[in-house]
């Protein structure tokens, strides 16, 4: 994808604040961070989203995130961490190249939890379960 910004960054054609790199991934600091250290795991190959990325590459991305998360805890002293991965503009995806957000959390970071809980009835939950199971 020659016009994809994350392809260019992942391949090193555009400079970035890289905090981890191997043959298949680059992890960069987000330039609009939610918190101090907010980073993005970018596969070097272009995949649009979760539906597109091969299972093995997804598993490898999770392993990279775990490594980086450990160093964030150690070096930045975060107290918690969110792993976020948006798929489709309805879910907040703005760059259509698969990426995992690693968002370190601090008690004074002034950020929120991602969603507001709703209160479906027990029947509604059963209906949704059956729909997903194809029953
Ligand atoms: P999404 O909303 O697609 O899940 O996340 C895209 C993220 O990429 C956003 O958090 C945004 O700040 C970040 N971002 C967009 N363009 C660039 C860029 O050119 N460089 C860096 N470092 N981050 C970017
Ligand atoms: Zn791309």
């Amino acid at each position: 994808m020659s016009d994809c910004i994350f392809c260019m960054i992942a391949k090193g054609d555009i400079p970035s604040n890289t905090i981890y790199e191997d043959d298949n991934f680059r992890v960069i600091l987000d330039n609009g961070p939610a918190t101090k250290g907010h980073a993005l795991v970018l596969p070097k190959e272009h995949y649009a989203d979760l539906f597109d990325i091969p299972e093995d590459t997804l598993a490898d991305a999770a392993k990279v995130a775990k490594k980086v998360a450990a160093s964030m805890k150690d070096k930045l002293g975060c107290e918690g961490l969110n792993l976020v991965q948006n798929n489709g503009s309805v879910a907040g995806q703005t760059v259509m190249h698969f990426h995992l957000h690693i968002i370190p959390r601090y008690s004074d970071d002034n950020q929120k939890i991602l969603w507001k809980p709703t209160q479906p009835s027990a029947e509604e939950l059963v209906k949704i379960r059956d729909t997903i199971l194809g029953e």
Side-chain angles (χ1 to χ4, degrees), residues 4 25 39 41-42 49 58 70 78 91 126:
C4 170
F25 295 93
V41 180
L42 310 180
D49 55 25
L58 178 64
C78 60
V126 168

Side-chain angles (χ1 to χ4, degrees), residues 5-6 9 14-17 28-34 38 40 84-87 91-97 99 101:
I5 181 90
F6 280 3
I9 292 175
I14 292 181
S16 62
N17 288 303
I28 63 166
L29 292 184
D30 194 300
N31 68 1
H38 181 167
L40 305 171
V84 178
Q85 200 272 309
N86 299 327
N87 296 282
Q93 185 178 9
T94 57
V95 181
M96 301 301 161
H97 175 124
H99 51 282
H101 293 259

Side-chain angles (χ1 to χ4, degrees), residues 39-56:
L40 305 171
V41 180
L42 310 180
K44 290 186 178 178
E45 285 298 312
H46 180 90
Y47 304 109
D49 55 25
L50 183 70
F51 302 102
D52 196 27
I53 192 169
E55 279 181 9
D56 286 354

